[in-house]
Amino acid sequence: MDLFDNIVENEPRNVQLAPGAVLLTGFARSFETPLLAAASSVVECAPFRHLVTPGGHRMSVAMTSCGTAGWVSDRTGYRYTAIDPETRQPWPPMPDAFVDLALRAADKAGYANFRPDACLINRYGPGAKLSLHQDKDELDFNAPIVSVSLGLPATFLFGGLNRNDKTARYRLAHGDVVVWGGPVRLAYHGVLPLADGYHPLLGSQRINLTFRKTR
Ligand code: SIN
Ligand code: FE2
């Protein structure tokens, strides 16, 4: 399937991407104010930065984290850390508004009692992209991944358990939430280069929150 499935915006729908993966359109919309305020407070303590991959490439997406673990990448590899290597302080605690939304979205998708300990905050400017990858640095693959899109729309790629599996494309707009776990917890996914545009709340950027249970 290669369709922009959620064409009718403003109308919340649950779109199954695969068994175990669901797109909840507009789910986070009514939480936009507390979510964006909470994200700003995290970024004040742990600023966005462009991480370097083990291969030496500077990522086009700027990232930061909150929670008891934060995701980092450098020449030595990918991992979760308790301390932000930039600030040398613990990552900011996960805001209540984040925990609350992640729990509700996971619940709606059929994953009860989701208790994330890490939230990676991704900032995409025009042209920024995330290559196809698996979220596999966590120790607990029983918990799902909850991904919240805010600001400019993006094209999300969702594939299978092998890198070469066919990927489907979904348009993720402001307020959309994708939850994947169970049989597709290790599905390959990515984001195509962000098209330029203007969002009334976020200007020419997209913010993505991904919640994980790392241990
Ligand atoms: C991610 O895979 O960590 C982010 C996905 C997204 O930005 O939608
Ligand atoms: Fe990911």
Side-chain angles (χ1 to χ4, degrees):
M1 189 162 65
D2 191 12
L3 296 172
F4 285 111
D5 226 339
N6 51 331
I7 289 163
V8 186
E9 278 181 60
N10 303 321
E11 210 178 284
R13 291 188 309 135
N14 300 348
V15 181
Q16 199 187 62
L17 310 192
V22 61
L23 161 58
L24 309 169
T25 73
F27 189 85
R29 234 170 223 260
S30 56
F31 304 92
E32 65 187 13
T33 307
L35 288 176
L36 289 171
S40 298
S41 67
V42 168
V43 170
E44 261 175 47
C45 299
F48 281 117
R49 77 287 311 259
H50 292 271
L51 295 168
V52 174
T53 65
H57 298 287
R58 174 185 187 266
M59 296 182 75
S60 58
V61 178
M63 297 181 174
T64 187
S65 288
C66 62
T68 54
W71 188 82
V72 298
S73 173
D74 60 21
R75 290 305 298 242
T76 68
Y78 306 123
R79 63 200 171 276
Y80 284 98
T81 64
I83 301 292
D84 175 354
E86 273 315 297
T87 64
R88 297 166 193 264
Q89 300 294 315
W91 296 100
M94 201 180 306
D96 290 344
F98 279 21
V99 179
D100 185 49
L101 178 81
L103 176 69
R104 287 184 201 222
D107 204 70
K108 179 106 183 167
Y111 298 98
N113 300 315
F114 180 48
R115 292 278 180 273
D117 58 5
C119 175
L120 178 56
I121 308 179
N122 295 312
R123 186 187 65 193
Y124 297 73
K129 65 176 172 72
L130 202 57
S131 312
L132 215 55
H133 66 280
Q134 296 169 292
D135 292 355
K136 61 174 183 191
D137 299 325
E138 302 74 27
L139 298 175
D140 181 357
F141 294 143
N142 292 309
I145 300 287
V146 173
S147 162
V148 179
S149 293
L150 297 166
L152 284 180
T155 302
F156 182 63
L157 303 176
F158 195 80
L161 301 179
N162 299 301
R163 181 176 289 280
N164 295 327
D165 290 345
K166 194 173 176 336
T167 56
R169 297 177 173 203
Y170 299 91
R171 180 176 184 271
L172 298 185
H174 179 74
D176 289 350
V177 179
V178 184
V179 181
W180 66 95
V184 291
R185 171 63 181 73
L186 291 173
Y188 277 87
H189 59 281
V191 177
L192 292 185
L194 193 79
D196 202 357
Y198 181 83
H199 186 272
L201 288 177
L202 282 159
S204 61
Q205 57 181 348
R206 168 176 187 259
I207 300 288
N208 170 264
L209 313 173
T210 35
F211 295 93
R212 296 102 186 269
K213 187 170 184 297
T214 69
R215 42 184 294 156

Short mmCIF file of all heavy atoms in Angstrom, two decimals, residues 24-63:
data_model
loop_
_atom_site.label_atom_id
_atom_site.label_comp_id
_atom_site.label_asym_id
_atom_site.label_seq_id
_atom_site.Cartn_x
_atom_site.Cartn_y
_atom_site.Cartn_z
N LEU A 24 -3.07 6.91 15.07
CA LEU A 24 -4.23 7.56 15.70
C LEU A 24 -4.22 9.01 15.22
O LEU A 24 -3.47 9.84 15.74
CB LEU A 24 -4.10 7.51 17.23
CG LEU A 24 -3.81 6.12 17.85
CD1 LEU A 24 -3.44 6.27 19.33
CD2 LEU A 24 -5.04 5.22 17.70
N THR A 25 -5.01 9.30 14.20
CA THR A 25 -4.92 10.65 13.63
C THR A 25 -5.50 11.66 14.61
O THR A 25 -6.54 11.42 15.23
CB THR A 25 -5.61 10.77 12.26
OG1 THR A 25 -7.02 10.75 12.46
CG2 THR A 25 -5.19 9.68 11.30
N GLY A 26 -4.81 12.77 14.76
CA GLY A 26 -5.29 13.88 15.59
C GLY A 26 -5.33 13.62 17.08
O GLY A 26 -5.79 14.46 17.85
N PHE A 27 -4.81 12.47 17.50
CA PHE A 27 -4.96 12.07 18.91
C PHE A 27 -4.36 13.10 19.88
O PHE A 27 -4.90 13.31 20.97
CB PHE A 27 -4.31 10.70 19.13
CG PHE A 27 -4.59 10.11 20.48
CD1 PHE A 27 -5.75 9.38 20.70
CD2 PHE A 27 -3.71 10.29 21.53
CE1 PHE A 27 -6.03 8.83 21.95
CE2 PHE A 27 -3.97 9.74 22.79
CZ PHE A 27 -5.13 9.02 23.00
N ALA A 28 -3.25 13.73 19.50
CA ALA A 28 -2.56 14.64 20.43
C ALA A 28 -2.97 16.09 20.25
O ALA A 28 -2.49 16.98 20.96
CB ALA A 28 -1.05 14.51 20.23
N ARG A 29 -3.88 16.33 19.31
CA ARG A 29 -4.25 17.71 19.00
C ARG A 29 -4.74 18.50 20.20
O ARG A 29 -4.34 19.65 20.42
CB ARG A 29 -5.36 17.71 17.96
CG ARG A 29 -5.04 18.53 16.77
CD ARG A 29 -6.10 18.25 15.71
NE ARG A 29 -5.45 18.13 14.44
CZ ARG A 29 -5.41 19.12 13.54
NH1 ARG A 29 -6.01 20.26 13.78
NH2 ARG A 29 -4.79 18.95 12.42
N SER A 30 -5.61 17.90 20.99
CA SER A 30 -6.19 18.64 22.12
C SER A 30 -5.17 18.81 23.26
O SER A 30 -5.44 19.52 24.23
CB SER A 30 -7.46 17.95 22.62
OG SER A 30 -7.16 16.62 22.95
N PHE A 31 -3.99 18.18 23.12
CA PHE A 31 -2.94 18.31 24.14
C PHE A 31 -1.81 19.22 23.65
O PHE A 31 -0.75 19.27 24.26
CB PHE A 31 -2.35 16.94 24.49
CG PHE A 31 -3.35 15.92 24.95
CD1 PHE A 31 -3.95 15.05 24.04
CD2 PHE A 31 -3.71 15.82 26.29
CE1 PHE A 31 -4.86 14.10 24.47
CE2 PHE A 31 -4.62 14.86 26.72
CZ PHE A 31 -5.20 14.00 25.81
N GLU A 32 -2.02 19.88 22.51
CA GLU A 32 -0.88 20.59 21.89
C GLU A 32 -0.27 21.64 22.80
O GLU A 32 0.95 21.77 22.86
CB GLU A 32 -1.28 21.22 20.54
CG GLU A 32 -2.33 22.31 20.68
CD GLU A 32 -2.87 22.85 19.37
OE1 GLU A 32 -2.66 22.24 18.30
OE2 GLU A 32 -3.53 23.91 19.42
N THR A 33 -1.10 22.39 23.55
CA THR A 33 -0.56 23.47 24.37
C THR A 33 0.33 22.94 25.49
O THR A 33 1.50 23.35 25.59
CB THR A 33 -1.70 24.37 24.90
OG1 THR A 33 -2.47 24.79 23.77
CG2 THR A 33 -1.16 25.58 25.62
N PRO A 34 -0.16 22.02 26.34
CA PRO A 34 0.74 21.49 27.37
C PRO A 34 1.94 20.72 26.80
O PRO A 34 3.04 20.80 27.36
CB PRO A 34 -0.16 20.55 28.20
CG PRO A 34 -1.43 20.38 27.43
CD PRO A 34 -1.56 21.56 26.52
N LEU A 35 1.75 20.03 25.68
CA LEU A 35 2.89 19.28 25.11
C LEU A 35 3.99 20.23 24.64
O LEU A 35 5.18 20.00 24.91
CB LEU A 35 2.44 18.42 23.93
CG LEU A 35 1.60 17.19 24.26
CD1 LEU A 35 1.17 16.49 22.97
CD2 LEU A 35 2.38 16.21 25.14
N LEU A 36 3.59 21.31 23.97
CA LEU A 36 4.61 22.23 23.45
C LEU A 36 5.27 23.01 24.57
O LEU A 36 6.48 23.27 24.54
CB LEU A 36 4.00 23.17 22.40
CG LEU A 36 3.66 22.46 21.07
CD1 LEU A 36 2.86 23.38 20.14
CD2 LEU A 36 4.93 21.98 20.37
N ALA A 37 4.50 23.35 25.60
CA ALA A 37 5.09 24.05 26.76
C ALA A 37 6.10 23.12 27.44
O ALA A 37 7.21 23.54 27.80
CB ALA A 37 4.00 24.47 27.73
N ALA A 38 5.73 21.87 27.59
CA ALA A 38 6.62 20.90 28.25
C ALA A 38 7.87 20.69 27.41
O ALA A 38 8.99 20.62 27.94
CB ALA A 38 5.88 19.59 28.47
N ALA A 39 7.70 20.60 26.09
CA ALA A 39 8.86 20.40 25.21
C ALA A 39 9.82 21.59 25.34
O ALA A 39 11.04 21.42 25.42
CB ALA A 39 8.42 20.22 23.77
N SER A 40 9.27 22.81 25.40
CA SER A 40 10.13 24.00 25.54
C SER A 40 10.92 23.95 26.83
O SER A 40 12.10 24.32 26.86
CB SER A 40 9.30 25.28 25.53
OG SER A 40 8.64 25.41 24.32
N SER A 41 10.28 23.49 27.90
CA SER A 41 11.00 23.48 29.17
C SER A 41 12.10 22.42 29.16
O SER A 41 13.17 22.63 29.73
CB SER A 41 10.03 23.30 30.36
OG SER A 41 9.46 22.02 30.31
N VAL A 42 11.88 21.33 28.47
CA VAL A 42 12.95 20.32 28.33
C VAL A 42 14.13 20.91 27.56
O VAL A 42 15.29 20.80 27.97
CB VAL A 42 12.44 19.04 27.63
CG1 VAL A 42 13.60 18.13 27.23
CG2 VAL A 42 11.45 18.29 28.51
N VAL A 43 13.80 21.57 26.44
CA VAL A 43 14.84 22.08 25.55
C VAL A 43 15.66 23.20 26.22
O VAL A 43 16.84 23.37 25.94
CB VAL A 43 14.21 22.55 24.22
CG1 VAL A 43 15.19 23.31 23.36
CG2 VAL A 43 13.65 21.35 23.46
N GLU A 44 15.04 23.92 27.16
CA GLU A 44 15.79 24.94 27.90
C GLU A 44 16.92 24.30 28.72
O GLU A 44 17.98 24.89 28.87
CB GLU A 44 14.86 25.67 28.87
CG GLU A 44 14.39 27.00 28.33
CD GLU A 44 13.38 27.65 29.25
OE1 GLU A 44 13.62 27.70 30.48
OE2 GLU A 44 12.34 28.09 28.74
N CYS A 45 16.66 23.12 29.25
CA CYS A 45 17.68 22.44 30.08
C CYS A 45 18.60 21.56 29.26
O CYS A 45 19.78 21.41 29.58
CB CYS A 45 17.00 21.57 31.14
SG CYS A 45 15.96 22.49 32.25
N ALA A 46 18.06 20.94 28.23
CA ALA A 46 18.84 20.02 27.39
C ALA A 46 18.63 20.45 25.94
O ALA A 46 17.71 20.00 25.28
CB ALA A 46 18.38 18.58 27.60
N PRO A 47 19.46 21.37 25.43
CA PRO A 47 19.24 21.95 24.10
C PRO A 47 19.31 20.91 22.98
O PRO A 47 19.96 19.89 23.11
CB PRO A 47 20.39 22.96 23.96
CG PRO A 47 20.93 23.17 25.32
CD PRO A 47 20.65 21.93 26.10
N PHE A 48 18.62 21.23 21.88
CA PHE A 48 18.72 20.41 20.67
C PHE A 48 20.17 20.41 20.20
O PHE A 48 20.86 21.41 20.27
CB PHE A 48 17.86 21.00 19.56
CG PHE A 48 16.39 20.69 19.70
CD1 PHE A 48 15.46 21.71 19.89
CD2 PHE A 48 15.93 19.38 19.61
CE1 PHE A 48 14.10 21.43 20.00
CE2 PHE A 48 14.58 19.08 19.71
CZ PHE A 48 13.67 20.12 19.91
N ARG A 49 20.58 19.25 19.68
CA ARG A 49 21.92 19.14 19.10
C ARG A 49 21.87 18.16 17.92
O ARG A 49 21.00 17.30 17.86
CB ARG A 49 22.95 18.71 20.15
CG ARG A 49 23.00 17.25 20.57
CD ARG A 49 21.87 16.79 21.46
NE ARG A 49 21.51 17.57 22.63
CZ ARG A 49 21.87 17.28 23.88
NH1 ARG A 49 22.66 16.25 24.12
NH2 ARG A 49 21.43 17.99 24.88
N HIS A 50 22.80 18.35 16.99
CA HIS A 50 22.90 17.44 15.84
C HIS A 50 23.94 16.38 16.20
O HIS A 50 25.13 16.69 16.25
CB HIS A 50 23.31 18.20 14.58
CG HIS A 50 22.24 19.14 14.09
ND1 HIS A 50 21.26 18.74 13.20
CD2 HIS A 50 21.98 20.43 14.39
CE1 HIS A 50 20.45 19.77 12.96
NE2 HIS A 50 20.86 20.80 13.67
N LEU A 51 23.48 15.18 16.44
CA LEU A 51 24.39 14.10 16.84
C LEU A 51 25.16 13.59 15.62
O LEU A 51 24.72 13.76 14.47
CB LEU A 51 23.60 12.96 17.48
CG LEU A 51 22.91 13.33 18.79
CD1 LEU A 51 21.92 12.24 19.21
CD2 LEU A 51 23.92 13.58 19.91
N VAL A 52 26.27 12.95 15.89
CA VAL A 52 27.09 12.36 14.84
C VAL A 52 26.89 10.85 14.89
O VAL A 52 26.84 10.25 15.97
CB VAL A 52 28.57 12.74 15.07
CG1 VAL A 52 29.48 12.01 14.08
CG2 VAL A 52 28.75 14.25 14.94
N THR A 53 26.72 10.23 13.73
CA THR A 53 26.53 8.77 13.68
C THR A 53 27.89 8.08 13.84
O THR A 53 28.93 8.71 13.66
CB THR A 53 25.92 8.34 12.33
OG1 THR A 53 26.87 8.64 11.30
CG2 THR A 53 24.62 9.07 12.04
N PRO A 54 27.85 6.78 14.15
CA PRO A 54 29.12 6.04 14.25
C PRO A 54 29.93 6.15 12.96
O PRO A 54 31.15 6.11 12.99
CB PRO A 54 28.68 4.60 14.53
CG PRO A 54 27.34 4.74 15.18
CD PRO A 54 26.70 5.94 14.55
N GLY A 55 29.22 6.31 11.83
CA GLY A 55 29.92 6.45 10.54
C GLY A 55 30.50 7.84 10.30
O GLY A 55 31.14 8.08 9.28
N GLY A 56 30.22 8.78 11.25
CA GLY A 56 30.81 10.10 11.13
C GLY A 56 29.92 11.14 10.46
O GLY A 56 30.36 12.26 10.21
N HIS A 57 28.64 10.79 10.21
CA HIS A 57 27.74 11.76 9.58
C HIS A 57 26.99 12.58 10.63
O HIS A 57 26.50 12.03 11.61
CB HIS A 57 26.72 11.05 8.69
CG HIS A 57 27.35 10.30 7.56
ND1 HIS A 57 27.88 10.95 6.47
CD2 HIS A 57 27.56 8.99 7.37
CE1 HIS A 57 28.38 10.06 5.64
NE2 HIS A 57 28.21 8.86 6.16
N ARG A 58 26.88 13.88 10.40
CA ARG A 58 26.09 14.74 11.28
C ARG A 58 24.63 14.54 10.90
O ARG A 58 24.27 14.70 9.73
CB ARG A 58 26.52 16.19 11.05
CG ARG A 58 25.71 17.23 11.79
CD ARG A 58 26.22 18.60 11.31
NE ARG A 58 25.65 19.71 12.06
CZ ARG A 58 24.58 20.39 11.70
NH1 ARG A 58 23.91 20.03 10.61
NH2 ARG A 58 24.16 21.41 12.43
N MET A 59 23.79 14.19 11.87
CA MET A 59 22.38 13.94 11.56
C MET A 59 21.68 15.25 11.21
O MET A 59 21.92 16.28 11.85
CB MET A 59 21.71 13.25 12.75
CG MET A 59 22.29 11.86 13.02
SD MET A 59 21.47 11.03 14.39
CE MET A 59 19.93 10.56 13.58
N SER A 60 20.78 15.19 10.22
CA SER A 60 20.05 16.42 9.82
C SER A 60 18.96 16.76 10.83
O SER A 60 18.56 17.91 10.95
CB SER A 60 19.46 16.25 8.42
OG SER A 60 18.59 15.14 8.37
N VAL A 61 18.49 15.76 11.56
CA VAL A 61 17.49 15.98 12.61
C VAL A 61 18.23 16.39 13.88
O VAL A 61 19.24 15.78 14.24
CB VAL A 61 16.70 14.68 12.88
CG1 VAL A 61 15.70 14.86 14.00
CG2 VAL A 61 15.98 14.22 11.61
N ALA A 62 17.75 17.45 14.54
CA ALA A 62 18.33 17.86 15.83
C ALA A 62 17.57 17.11 16.93
O ALA A 62 16.36 16.92 16.83
CB ALA A 62 18.20 19.36 16.01
N MET A 63 18.28 16.68 17.96
CA MET A 63 17.66 15.83 18.98
C MET A 63 17.99 16.27 20.39
O MET A 63 19.02 16.87 20.65
CB MET A 63 18.16 14.40 18.84
CG MET A 63 17.78 13.77 17.52
SD MET A 63 18.38 12.07 17.41
CE MET A 63 17.64 11.59 15.85
#
